[in-house]
Amino acid sequence: MTVPAIKGVGTSLFGKQPDLHPSELVWRAVDEAMTRAGVTAGELDAVYVGTVFGAPGVAQRALHAMGIVGVPVITVENACASGTTALHEASEAVRLDRWACVLAVGIEKMTDQFAGAIHPESTDIEGRSGLALPSLYAMAATRYQHAFGVTDAELAMVAEKNHGHARHNDRAQHRTPHTVEEILASRMIADPLTLLQCCPIADGAAAAIVGPHEPGAREVVIRSSVLRSGQLWDHRSEHVWGFELIRDTARRAFEAAGIGPADLDVVECHDAFTIGEIVTTEALGLAPEGEGVGLLRDRHTHLGGPQPVNPSGGLLSRGHPLGATGLAQVAEVVWQLLGEAGGRQHPGATLGLVETMGGGVAGVDGNACAIAVLERLG
Amino acid sequence: MVRVAVPGRTPPYGLAYVDLDDGPRILAHVADSRSADDDPIVRVAPGARVQLAGATELGDVLVTVLVDATGGGPR
């Protein structure tokens, strides 16, 4: 088997870009990734595409204009984890020697379809009952607060951190820092989550080129990549929604990579809502269960701390174009590991992790979770 | 308490996961989750016991809070 590596990444700008065609977003991301990797269209063996609401043929419509034709183009959907799923499949294709040069690209143009929260899925029994995603996370937050005595202000500390990080990310949708007081004073979306604790919908694309690891090359090795769907949600579980899926996926990712959470230098995780980051940092093992807020209080996960989480500003600030998000997270960790993250660089980062949680389906504790452990060698 | 616009529904409305005594866990709408002055600040405390109250106009499972984990009703 082959050790897969990320040869180059690229992204569009993120935000509400109603005047741009989806193809223009793809072109910007893919062109940057291919240029960075030194790869031409004719060298690509295959393309994996992550998108949720993309029109049929959304990728081919963009890629043919770049000369990327005559290769398999495989579109995958895993809700918010669609982009990370595309990376996972590209990584597996290289690891298993199916292909040697694979493009993973995520694309979403959301402002054409939504003005606010994503509409609940009417074919899902809970979606049909009005369960919008903010309310799913709001119930998790309420239960978590009850279990561990966490205040609304402590939840808001996640947004304070990530909005602060985004000041240094000129591709992010929102780059204005906010105080905890401002965050709590913003419009309530689903109690206890206020507007500034919820990720904005966005338009965007992100891409990565994956190929075999070449010693000495300026690249990032994929030490492990794990993708799982949720288990039946056991009503006897005391954990909040999603915790067990993230925990179980992380355990497998760490085992395959031969590392533990303490070894990580930088993390990009799924902070679609503030409670998401707190629960995820615990499920990843960065903090004991119920003590995730301590990471914020001690500035452990702030830029300047030992293990920055969401240095890009996360979904809360970068915006959340569903299919693109996972690969945008990957791009951020790759830039961090290569020392190319500019004003948000975590010095000396060599080992990073990307985690994306992929939406909800009634009856299971999460639709999908994708985790990749990335490393710069040498 | 959902306060965002959802197609076909009028916010705010209260939702809760309810663990039936013998399982499983179901999603339910919570009746009377608005306070008298229509300011929806009510949060049902985790651990509260609820009772099936029928269905909403749209056919959702509807429950009422009997007593919360601290011994009180809705707060």
Side-chain angles (χ1 to χ4, degrees):
Chain A
M1 285 186 288
T2 298
V3 176
I6 298 173
K7 309 290 186 172
V9 293
T11 77
S12 68
L13 299 180
F14 291 82
K16 293 181 169 58
Q17 305 175 84
D19 296 333
L20 288 184
H21 190 279
S23 293
E24 294 176 275
L25 298 168
V26 171
W27 294 337
R28 293 178 187 194
V30 173
D31 182 65
E32 183 181 6
M34 290 176 64
T35 301
R36 186 66 182 76
V39 165
T40 61
E43 294 176 86
L44 290 171
D45 294 318
V47 182
Y48 283 97
V49 184
T51 190
V52 180
F53 300 108
V58 63
Q60 287 91 334
R61 197 166 293 115
L63 296 175
H64 78 78
M66 304 182 79
I68 302 172
V69 291
V71 295
V73 177
I74 302 156
T75 299
V76 296
E77 185 279 310
N78 244 336
C80 309
S82 297
T84 338
T85 299
L87 178 86
H88 174 77
E89 291 303 319
S91 175
E92 286 296 280
V94 171
R95 187 175 73 87
L96 299 172
D97 298 320
R98 184 180 187 193
W99 289 311
C101 188
V102 184
L103 167 65
V105 56
I107 169 65
E108 214 70 66
K109 185 90 190 309
M110 299 185 73
T111 55
D112 291 347
Q113 303 183 55
F114 303 104
I118 298 168
H119 300 164
E121 175 52 49
S122 62
T123 59
D124 184 270
I125 191 169
E126 293 182 345
R128 194 178 65 210
S129 199
L131 183 67
L133 274 169
S135 46
L136 177 61
Y137 280 90
M139 286 191 285
T142 301
R143 185 177 182 89
Y144 184 93
Q145 289 182 291
H146 179 79
F148 300 113
V150 168
T151 67
D152 290 354
E154 288 173 321
L155 285 179
M157 289 166 67
V158 175
E160 179 190 40
K161 171 178 72 70
N162 293 351
H163 287 307
H165 287 174
R167 280 179 303 170
H168 308 291
N169 186 354
D170 60 10
R171 303 188 194 207
Q173 183 167 1
H174 295 305
R175 301 193 291 272
T176 305
H178 294 284
T179 65
V180 165
E181 291 72 24
E182 290 171 336
I183 292 161
L184 292 176
S186 61
R187 180 165 59 94
M188 188 63 79
I189 299 298
D191 306 55
L193 302 175
T194 55
L195 180 66
L196 290 172
Q197 298 184 68
C198 304
C199 62
I201 64 165
D203 306 318
I209 303 290
V210 182
H213 166 51
E214 299 169 273
R218 190 167 175 76
E219 63 184 23
V220 166
V221 166
I222 302 173
R223 278 188 67 150
S224 68
S225 178
V226 177
L227 171 66
R228 288 172 63 82
S229 60
Q231 302 277 359
L232 291 175
W233 194 13
D234 188 339
H235 69 280
R236 295 164 296 189
S237 169
E238 292 296 318
H239 299 295
V240 301
W241 175 87
F243 176 90
E244 285 144 318
L245 174 56
I246 302 168
R247 178 198 63 195
D248 294 347
T249 308
R251 282 178 178 167
R252 286 164 174 77
F254 285 132
E255 183 180 349
I259 65 159
D263 298 316
L264 295 171
D265 296 309
V266 63
V267 172
E268 282 279 312
C269 76
H270 193 75
D271 63 331
F273 303 90
T274 48
I275 183 64
E277 179 174 308
I278 293 171
V279 171
T280 299
T281 51
E282 295 174 9
L284 292 175
L286 296 176
E289 196 176 346
E291 298 180 26
V293 170
L295 297 173
L296 300 158
R297 211 179 286 120
D298 299 340
R299 302 185 70 82
H300 184 95
T301 50
H302 284 65
L303 277 170
Q307 290 183 305
V309 171
N310 290 320
S312 68
L315 283 62
L316 287 169
S317 305
R318 185 179 51 236
H320 186 22
L322 304 191
T325 282
L327 282 156
Q329 294 175 297
V330 169
E332 175 66 17
V333 170
V334 167
W335 288 325
Q336 289 284 341
L337 300 182
L338 294 178
E340 299 173 356
R344 60 186 189 282
Q345 179 66 47
H346 179 57
T350 60
L351 200 55
L353 179 143
V354 172
E355 178 272 343
T356 324
M357 186 71 171
V361 166
V364 294
D365 65 350
N367 182 32
C369 182
I371 293 181
V373 175
L374 308 179
E375 182 178 27
R376 172 177 54 82
L377 299 176
Chain B
M1 182 65 70
V2 183
R3 309 210 199 192
V4 290
V6 171
R9 296 184 179 274
T10 305
Y13 54 92
L15 294 175
Y17 277 119
V18 176
D19 291 345
L20 303 183
D21 287 342
D22 298 313
R25 178 172 294 160
I26 62 169
L27 182 71
H29 283 241
V30 181
D32 304 322
S33 52
R34 299 186 197 194
S35 58
D37 61 0
D38 208 30
D39 179 13
I41 58 171
V42 177
R43 293 186 193 178
V44 179
R49 288 194 68 79
V50 298
Q51 176 176 280
L52 180 65
T56 68
E57 290 179 357
L58 295 174
D60 311 306
V61 174
L62 183 68
V63 297
T64 55
V65 179
L66 293 175
V67 59
D68 73 17
T70 60
R75 61 182 176 84

